[in-house]
């Protein structure tokens, strides 16, 4: 018995164990379907994840029963039922912590212009499975109330799963023409499952990359987030860049592929960015951090626009400023929430601040400004800056880490002495107005900004010193 046969036995055993446990949990549901003469199949990603030992609390089922019948059965059995997807043949329910979606067999047709199918109900399980995106998602397990089950794999998904391959049930050109979103899903599954894409699928993705423009930005955004939160997002991004799909959905990432000048060499910025992403992920403590991951991938996207070789050496002056603008602009086009756009943009903007100082060169003022500008992003900024060290020169790497360790220590020391998380002027607006005899207006804001600058530069001032500096500033105006 070879290793693949052994692996097949293992995944089938996991699937069988999952089927047995679900048959017990869902016995009431299964018996109701059986009484009406309808089978019920665990299907798609639920079967795949069961075989991989990673099944969650969202269960997908298919059945020949029409949606009206499915809804009636669920309302008899489930704790909660909702039918927001009923136009597409899907009814959802919740039962003992499980979210269940049951979709009637489908045999849809597509118009070739949008990804919205004309919903056509099917009559066979095989007809339903062949319309799915990938073979590994085209397997089904019929669950029965007596605890038995039957595995169905007409497309050969089990072999692909054991080999870690993503291939389409039908010709990939047909599949992607029907629904171009499947190309993004291929990259997403590379990230989530660490599978590779079959050669014929990669070729079709490259040939049909422009078809992704038929997909709404909201759907692109959702798939990109799932990709970025996978276990290997760098591999998923690589698929998008290599096939040319990134040229349409996030061209600034593709642009990181810059050809080094013969006489002014620089590291491969694209490869560096993927390494920084990987190293940022390695520092995560509580699961995927979407903001940190995007910032790590995008931290150098300003380099193509700032590349300069006029001095005989390649430079990228102010690439963090340009990069922050580019990141904000692209994420806005992809309709990311404003708060996330700002956080990612600010991390890109700040990632070079550390490199403006060397060992033993951080003044108290510089430390205060670093912490204040980062604000709540400081823990992420620490991780991003550390991840940005990809040099193969071990001595340089140790020096950079030592310098950053020193900065973190300085922050901790000042934090014990001052409230760095909330650096504010030593006088509030009401005191400023009373001392200077002002009414509310822009001059109060200017005075407040002056005092905050003094606080950052000199640390906490006692009240009399703060008043003296304020009066001196006012008189100089």
């Amino acid at each position: 018995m070879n290793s693949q046969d052994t692996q097949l036995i293992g995944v089938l055993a996991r699937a069988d164990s999952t089927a047995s446990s679900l048959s017990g949990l869902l016995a009431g549901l299964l018996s109701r379907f059986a009484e009406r003469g309808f089978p019920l199949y665990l299907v798609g990603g639920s079967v795949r994840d069961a075989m991989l030992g990673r099944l969650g609390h969202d269960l997908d089922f298919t059945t020949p029963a029409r949606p009206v019948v499915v809804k009636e059965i669920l309302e008899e059995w489930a704790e909660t039922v909702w039918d927001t997807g009923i136009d597409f043949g899907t009814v959802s329910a919740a039962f003992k912590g499980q979210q269940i979606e049951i979709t009637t067999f489908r045999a849809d047709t597509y118009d070739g212009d949008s990804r919205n199918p004309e919903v056509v109900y099917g009559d066979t399980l095989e007809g339903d499975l062949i319309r799915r995106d990938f073979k590994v998602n085209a397997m089904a397990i019929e669950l029965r109330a007596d605890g038995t089950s039957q595995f169905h794999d007409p497309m050969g998904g089990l072999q692909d799963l054991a080999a870690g391959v993503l291939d389409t049930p039908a010709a990939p050109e047909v599949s992607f023409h029907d629904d171009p979103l499947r190309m993004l899903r291929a990259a997403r599954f590379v990230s989530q499952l660490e599978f590779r894409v079959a050669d014929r699928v990669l070729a079709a993705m490259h040939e049909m990359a422009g078809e992704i423009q038929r997909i709404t930005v909201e759907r692109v955004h959702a798939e990109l987030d799932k990709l970025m939160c996978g276990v290997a997002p760098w591999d998923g991004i690589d698929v998008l860049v290599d096939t040319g799909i990134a040229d349409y959905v996030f061209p600034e990432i593709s642009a990181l592929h810059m050809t080094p000048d013969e006489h002014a060499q620089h590291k491969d910025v694209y490869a560096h960015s993927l390494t920084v992403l990987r190293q940022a992920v390695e520092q995560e403590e509580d699961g995927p951090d979407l903001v940190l991951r995007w910032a790590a991938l995008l931290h150098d996207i300003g380099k193509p626009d700032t590349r300069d070789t006029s001095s005989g050496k390649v430079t990228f002056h102010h690439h963090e400023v340009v990069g922050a603008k580019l990141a904000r602009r692209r994420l806005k086009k992809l309709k990311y929430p404003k708060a996330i756009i700002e956080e990612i943009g600010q991390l890109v903007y700040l990632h070079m601040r550390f490199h403006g100082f060397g060992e033993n060169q951080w003044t108290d003022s510089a430390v205060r400004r670093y912490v204040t500008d980062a604000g709540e992003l400081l823990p992420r900024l620490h991780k991003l800056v550390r991840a940005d060290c990809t040099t193969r020169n071990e001595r340089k790497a140790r020096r950079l880490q030592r310098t950053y360790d020193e900065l973190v220590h300085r922050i901790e020391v000042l934090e014990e002495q001052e409230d760095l998380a909330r650096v504010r002027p030593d006088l509030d607006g009401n005191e400023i107005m009373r001392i200077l005899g002002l009414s509310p207006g822009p001059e109060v804001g200017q005075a407040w900004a002056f005092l905050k600058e003094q606080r950052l530069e000199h640390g906490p001032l006692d009240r009399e010193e703060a008043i003296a500096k304020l009066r001196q500033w006012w008189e100089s105006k």
Side-chain angles (χ1 to χ4, degrees), residues 312-332:
K313 294 182 179 180
V314 66
T315 61
F316 304 101
H317 293 309
H318 304 302
H319 73 271
E320 70 279 13
V321 178
V322 173
K325 292 179 180 178
L326 291 174
R328 290 186 176 105
R329 185 185 307 160
R330 177 57 55 186
L331 293 170
K332 183 178 180 180

Side-chain angles (χ1 to χ4, degrees), residues 6-60:
T6 302
Q7 189 171 6
L8 288 173
I9 292 172
V11 296
L12 282 172
R14 281 194 293 270
D16 185 62
S17 174
T18 299
S20 296
S21 64
L22 289 178
S23 292
L25 175 67
L26 307 178
L29 178 65
L30 298 173
S31 62
R32 283 173 170 81
F33 270 88
E35 288 168 4
R36 297 201 181 206
F38 295 111
L40 187 64
Y41 303 90
L42 188 71
V43 73
S46 293
V47 175
R48 179 201 70 216
D49 289 345
M51 291 181 166
L52 294 173
R54 47 181 287 169
L55 183 64
H57 297 292
D58 295 338
L59 303 176
D60 293 328

Side-chain angles (χ1 to χ4, degrees), residues 148-371:
T148 63
S149 61
Q150 183 176 353
F151 177 56
H152 297 265
D153 183 22
M155 306 301 146
L158 180 60
Q159 294 288 339
D160 279 6
L161 185 140
V165 174
L166 291 168
D167 199 357
T168 52
E173 293 81 5
V174 174
S175 181
F176 297 153
H177 180 69
D178 284 347
D179 186 359
L181 186 68
R182 291 168 175 169
M183 296 189 290
L184 273 181
R185 286 168 63 83
R188 188 241 289 187
F189 288 134
V190 166
S191 170
Q192 291 180 326
L193 306 176
E194 296 185 279
F195 283 14
R196 68 175 181 85
V197 182
D199 290 343
R200 69 169 190 152
V201 176
L202 279 175
M205 291 171 67
H206 186 273
E207 185 68 26
M208 303 177 68
E211 293 284 305
I212 203 66
Q213 295 174 97
R214 289 164 47 196
I215 304 302
T216 64
V217 293
E218 291 87 354
R219 295 307 302 266
V220 171
H221 168 176
E223 285 298 321
L224 287 176
D225 277 0
K226 292 175 183 177
L227 183 159
M228 289 297 289
C229 288
V231 295
W234 44 87
D235 288 336
I237 291 294
D238 219 19
V239 169
L240 294 182
V241 171
D242 287 348
T243 58
I245 294 172
D247 295 347
Y248 298 96
V249 299
F250 216 128
E252 294 82 0
I253 297 175
S254 299
L256 292 172
H257 268 307
M258 293 182 289
T259 304
D261 184 273
E262 181 182 357
H263 302 292
Q265 294 286 333
H266 63 80
K267 69 174 68 177
D268 183 336
V269 180
Y270 174 70
H272 164 75
S273 298
L274 295 189
T275 300
V276 173
L277 172 57
R278 183 192 295 265
Q279 294 184 168
V281 169
E282 290 171 354
Q283 297 180 68
E284 290 175 338
E285 300 157 329
D286 300 309
D289 184 336
L290 186 64
V291 169
L292 174 64
R293 291 184 178 205
W294 272 122
L297 178 62
L298 304 180
H299 75 286
D300 275 349
I301 62 169
K303 282 191 171 181
D305 288 351
T306 57
R307 186 173 184 269
D308 183 9
T309 59
S310 59
S311 65
K313 294 182 179 180
V314 66
T315 61
F316 304 101
H317 293 309
H318 304 302
H319 73 271
E320 70 279 13
V321 178
V322 173
K325 292 179 180 178
L326 291 174
R328 290 186 176 105
R329 185 185 307 160
R330 177 57 55 186
L331 293 170
K332 183 178 180 180
K333 288 182 178 179
L334 289 168
K335 298 190 177 182
Y336 274 78
K338 290 182 179 179
I340 290 181
I341 293 173
E342 183 52 36
E343 288 175 344
I344 295 170
Q346 186 69 353
L347 285 170
V348 173
Y349 176 74
L350 292 174
H351 85 275
M352 286 296 293
R353 181 77 62 86
F354 160 73
H355 296 283
F357 299 87
E359 289 185 275
N360 303 313
Q361 292 182 0
W362 282 87
T363 64
D364 287 353
S365 173
V367 173
R368 291 188 195 99
R369 293 176 193 278
Y370 192 78
V371 174

